[in-house]
Amino acid sequence: MAIKKSELYSSLWKSCDKLRGGMDASQYKDYVLVLLFVKYVSDKYAGNKSAPIQVPKGGSFQDMLALNGKKDIGDGINQIISKLAEANDLKGVIDVADFADSDKLGKGKEMVDKLSELVAIFKTLDFANNRADGDDILGDAYEYLMRHFATESGKSKGQFYTPAEVSRILAKVIGIQDATTQNQTIYDPTCGSGSLLLKAADESSRGLTIYGQENDVATRGLARMNMILHNNPTADIQQGNTLAAPFWKDGHGLKTFDFAVANPPFSSKSWSDGVETANEKADVYGRFDGYGVPPAKNGDYAFLLHILRSLKSRGKAAIILPHGVLFRGGAEAKIRTNLIRRGYIKGIIALPANLFYGTGIPACIIVIDKENAESRKGIFMIDAGKGFVKDGNKNRLRDQDIHKIVDVFNKQIEVPKYSRLVSIKEIEEKNEFNLNIPRYIDSQDEEDIQDIEAHLKGGIPLRDIDALSNYWNVCPTLRSSLFTKGNRDGYCDLKVEKDEIKATIYTHPEFVEFGTKIKSTFAKWAIEQSALLKQLKAGCKPKEVIHQISEAILTAFSGIPLIDQYDVYQHLMTYWLNVMKDDLYIVAEDGWKAELTAVTNKKGQTVDYTCELIPKELVIAKYFSVEKTAIDNLEMARDEITGQFEEMQEEHGGDEGILAEAVGDNGKISKANVSKRIGEIKKRPEFKDERDALESCLALLNKEGELTKQIKEATTKLNDKVLSKYPRLTVDEIKHLVVDEKWIAQLQQAIQSELDRTSQRLTTRTSELAQRYDTTLSEITSEVTLLSQKVGTHLQNMGFAWE
């Protein structure tokens, strides 16, 4: 059975729960990730002498299992990890966490139980036969843990991780996809846990040679494990202070690389410790020569200049820095001026605030490109500050935000209020080398201006109608169906009643035709992708599949007006994350099989069965709709009876009601209470009205009970039929249910929601304008006068005078 990403994540995070209390997330991540590493390499490489990681005798996860319940389990785990580290030059990498630390893990039995349970959780994970491992499900799990650790570690300890979404942008805007050989190099001078380096290297189909440096010992260990778990065991990650003691050197100078990426600590105040900064030429590596020395208490440009010096003559880099680097004065203004004049800055991408774990301030990506720098005439700028979604207490870039940024930047597309190519001349002459994005891109929403004349005299301003030109371009006669020329120039009147606006838009032939075009566009994509998806077999690569079908849907909706192709793309990517990803990993592992999984109660007894790939609802809708309709009808009948009973109870069940004596201590009328009360008054004619009401009530309760029994019996029979159907499903039937009835059907609903949203925007705006200018000032004045007269008359009738 495949390892589903959701189950893997759940198991890993459950392991973290075992360690909470004794330490914070910045500490227990070291324990959890080491165990994940040991389990993975043991499953994948034990007994394989040619494997990139050797698992020695006494250094495997199986050896850890043998320690279960033993008093010396902590020391034993330390020894196992030590043997594995010694066999693979991983000393100081995987042996940082102390599994015998009683301060963190508890003393005596508490430690034994905690570690035994922790190891047992990892026992349930099987990486040995996971056919989708080449698709990096484990790498995704590592990313999942790193993100959660960073979230829980807080600002002071969460800087070891660059959000994967941001990493993907850096990787895609520096041309790594064009790398032609694995000998080409990529470098990160502040690599943290290595996620940014890995995302960048993944952009090359041939792979890259990876180099990195990280100052923190434990974080460097995370990076080394990360590289191995992502199948990059030869990546060279060194420890040390990059600025004061750079490890990567050629002779007396810095080693140079083809590509570089970095997310250095923002505005580091101690960057100059150990660095010669007396003047531009003092630094032995020549990083500041010709540019200027960064401020002593702000290291942003120090890291940028280090990267610039570490690039080959045609090298490319992307670095994340705070917005201040774009406009701060003093020494930084001098550096910025020199960089711009030399043409090294290819682009700037402004990101939303609160993306990063170490800070909430907005940041930007500076894209450096040495190739053809001397002939560069402009800097391409993007203001992507508004494209994000809230995710807990942080903001997160969506797939559509990432794709749009990358598309616009790589194709140098100028989009109003979003991107433009700014000439060096404008930057120099009009803005004195200030690169603050709002000086060049006005991303503010247009102000919705109130028209005073329209309020005074009525009519809807033509400029507001003209502002909806994207709709009129698609539906040119819809405008004349909604609006007519007003009694003066520059204004028009609503042609239909306000409550007819929606119907006029939805039923207009041109809008109906537009809707048909959208649906046919999706249908064509669905037919093509359905055929592709049904050809998949065990061993397929889910990430390659989603890339192919998502790019296809983006292309399909490209150029279609009113519908944002990136919104459509996001619907697919959201469904992929929530459902399709798990499904495709099941197919990648097991092929097209509808395997049932037992559902047990607290006693371990099987009470039902489920199928992850094909939920029961799909099988019922396809093969047992008659039975389901019968049950639905029974439920409707029962609901009607229940409603009648509740109405009777509400009307007659109060303290003074005719059914008051049948109300129990819980304030409800029950069948037992009703029967008991009927028995008490059965032979007493003075209680005839109460007895009649009680018997009516009892009849409803009996009918409700009978219907409930029928529903239960019918549901049990249906469930049995469904369960017996699963083993008899053919492969073609399974493919049809999963691809067409599950995946495509859900996405079709999403497309319809986009179409509905498009029409609703026009309806809402038209109604808003009609309502805004519906009543003129003269009409309001007349109404006020009339009402004032009425009030005055009433006051006079009561003997009062109102002046």
Short mmCIF file of all heavy atoms in Angstrom, two decimals, residues 14 16 79 88 133 151 300 343 426 484 517 529 561 639:
data_model
loop_
_atom_site.label_atom_id
_atom_site.label_comp_id
_atom_site.label_asym_id
_atom_site.label_seq_id
_atom_site.Cartn_x
_atom_site.Cartn_y
_atom_site.Cartn_z
N LYS A 14 2.78 13.45 14.67
CA LYS A 14 2.44 12.73 15.89
C LYS A 14 3.70 12.42 16.70
O LYS A 14 3.70 12.47 17.93
CB LYS A 14 1.73 11.43 15.53
CG LYS A 14 1.25 10.62 16.74
CD LYS A 14 0.54 9.36 16.27
CE LYS A 14 0.11 8.51 17.45
NZ LYS A 14 -0.54 7.24 16.98
N CYS A 16 6.23 14.30 16.89
CA CYS A 16 6.61 15.54 17.58
C CYS A 16 5.85 15.70 18.89
O CYS A 16 6.37 16.25 19.86
CB CYS A 16 6.34 16.75 16.68
SG CYS A 16 7.28 16.72 15.13
N GLN A 79 24.45 5.43 20.29
CA GLN A 79 25.51 4.58 19.73
C GLN A 79 25.17 4.16 18.29
O GLN A 79 26.05 4.12 17.42
CB GLN A 79 25.69 3.34 20.61
CG GLN A 79 26.26 3.66 21.99
CD GLN A 79 26.28 2.45 22.91
OE1 GLN A 79 26.15 1.31 22.46
NE2 GLN A 79 26.42 2.69 24.21
N ASN A 88 29.63 7.10 7.31
CA ASN A 88 29.25 7.93 6.17
C ASN A 88 29.75 9.36 6.26
O ASN A 88 29.22 10.25 5.60
CB ASN A 88 27.72 7.92 6.02
CG ASN A 88 27.16 6.56 5.70
OD1 ASN A 88 27.21 6.11 4.57
ND2 ASN A 88 26.64 5.89 6.72
N ASP A 133 9.01 6.99 -4.52
CA ASP A 133 10.03 7.76 -3.79
C ASP A 133 10.83 8.66 -4.72
O ASP A 133 11.32 9.70 -4.33
CB ASP A 133 10.98 6.82 -3.02
CG ASP A 133 11.90 6.04 -3.95
OD1 ASP A 133 11.44 5.54 -4.98
OD2 ASP A 133 13.09 5.95 -3.62
N THR A 151 7.52 27.48 12.04
CA THR A 151 6.35 28.19 12.57
C THR A 151 6.35 28.18 14.09
O THR A 151 6.10 29.20 14.74
CB THR A 151 5.06 27.52 12.06
OG1 THR A 151 5.05 27.58 10.63
CG2 THR A 151 3.84 28.24 12.59
N ASP A 300 22.96 43.79 4.85
CA ASP A 300 22.23 43.34 3.66
C ASP A 300 23.08 43.38 2.40
O ASP A 300 23.17 42.40 1.65
CB ASP A 300 20.97 44.20 3.47
CG ASP A 300 19.96 44.01 4.59
OD1 ASP A 300 19.87 42.89 5.11
OD2 ASP A 300 19.27 44.99 4.93
N GLY A 343 24.92 47.68 -14.37
CA GLY A 343 23.92 46.84 -15.03
C GLY A 343 23.75 45.46 -14.45
O GLY A 343 23.17 44.57 -15.11
N GLU A 426 15.43 56.63 -16.32
CA GLU A 426 14.38 57.09 -15.39
C GLU A 426 14.82 56.91 -13.95
O GLU A 426 14.58 57.78 -13.10
CB GLU A 426 13.08 56.31 -15.64
CG GLU A 426 11.95 56.70 -14.69
CD GLU A 426 10.68 55.91 -14.93
OE1 GLU A 426 10.57 55.24 -15.97
OE2 GLU A 426 9.79 55.96 -14.05
N THR A 484 -29.49 53.01 -20.89
CA THR A 484 -29.96 53.84 -21.98
C THR A 484 -29.46 55.27 -21.79
O THR A 484 -29.10 55.66 -20.67
CB THR A 484 -31.50 53.83 -22.05
OG1 THR A 484 -31.94 54.54 -23.21
CG2 THR A 484 -32.13 54.47 -20.80
N LYS A 517 -18.63 29.11 -24.16
CA LYS A 517 -17.22 29.05 -24.58
C LYS A 517 -16.34 28.58 -23.42
O LYS A 517 -15.43 27.77 -23.62
CB LYS A 517 -16.77 30.43 -25.06
CG LYS A 517 -15.32 30.47 -25.50
CD LYS A 517 -14.92 31.87 -25.96
CE LYS A 517 -13.45 31.90 -26.39
NZ LYS A 517 -13.03 33.26 -26.83
N GLN A 529 -7.05 15.51 -21.02
CA GLN A 529 -6.36 15.09 -19.80
C GLN A 529 -6.92 13.79 -19.24
O GLN A 529 -6.20 13.01 -18.63
CB GLN A 529 -6.44 16.20 -18.74
CG GLN A 529 -5.91 17.54 -19.20
CD GLN A 529 -4.59 17.44 -19.94
OE1 GLN A 529 -3.65 16.81 -19.46
NE2 GLN A 529 -4.51 18.07 -21.11
N PRO A 561 -11.04 36.28 -22.14
CA PRO A 561 -11.36 37.46 -21.34
C PRO A 561 -12.25 37.15 -20.14
O PRO A 561 -12.93 36.12 -20.11
CB PRO A 561 -12.10 38.36 -22.35
CG PRO A 561 -12.68 37.41 -23.33
CD PRO A 561 -11.70 36.28 -23.45
N ASP A 639 -38.26 13.03 8.11
CA ASP A 639 -38.05 14.42 8.50
C ASP A 639 -39.38 15.17 8.60
O ASP A 639 -39.56 16.03 9.48
CB ASP A 639 -37.14 15.11 7.48
CG ASP A 639 -35.71 14.59 7.54
OD1 ASP A 639 -35.36 13.95 8.54
OD2 ASP A 639 -34.96 14.83 6.57
#
